[in-house]
Amino acid sequence: MSSSSPDKRQKMDQAAIIEAAMSAMTDTTNPALFDVTIICTTDDFQASYWMDRLSSGVCKSSSDSTNNYPMVIAVSEDWSSSSGAGNGLGTLYAFQKACNVAKEKY
């Protein structure tokens, strides 16, 4: 029978999980990339800039495969209401725009 209490073992497991995640996020020799990164900007110029910059920089795959991933999609905010869309609706709207851009580009 183990002398460690279940709470103490759980805390150690959580600490190990956090340490593994931090190591994966900061590993410069084998960076972890998201399959898709979506950026929402204030205008089309910024969207184009960030899509090109991230696709050729930190979000660039190290392999030379013809795979579309990691995919960087940048869209601009163009909500027509003066009060804005808000966080929830604005996020859904940006996601919908990003899906359309992905279909056109990839």
Side-chain angles (χ1 to χ4, degrees):
M1 185 170 192
S2 174
S3 63
S4 296
S5 69
D7 289 336
K8 187 174 183 179
R9 278 184 291 191
Q10 184 178 11
K11 286 180 184 177
M12 288 190 309
D13 291 342
Q14 289 174 348
I17 291 169
I18 291 170
E19 182 61 35
M22 293 297 292
S23 294
M25 287 185 274
T26 57
D27 183 0
T28 58
T29 60
N30 187 21
L33 298 174
F34 290 107
D35 287 341
V36 179
T37 301
I38 299 173
I39 300 97
C40 189
T41 66
T42 56
D43 58 47
D44 290 336
F45 174 78
Q46 289 291 319
S48 177
Y49 170 81
W50 284 111
M51 192 164 6
D52 292 341
R53 174 85 188 256
L54 293 173
S55 293
S56 62
V58 296
C59 294
K60 183 178 180 181
S61 175
S62 59
S63 69
D64 291 332
S65 73
T66 57
N67 191 353
N68 289 333
Y69 299 102
M71 185 184 299
V72 178
I73 307 292
V75 296
S76 61
E77 295 179 7
D78 62 355
W79 194 261
S80 59
S81 171
S82 62
S83 62
N87 286 339
L89 191 56
T91 299
L92 291 174
Y93 181 66
F95 180 75
Q96 182 181 30
K97 284 185 69 177
C99 288
N100 291 334
V101 169
K103 286 177 187 176
E104 291 171 10
K105 185 172 174 141
Y106 300 99

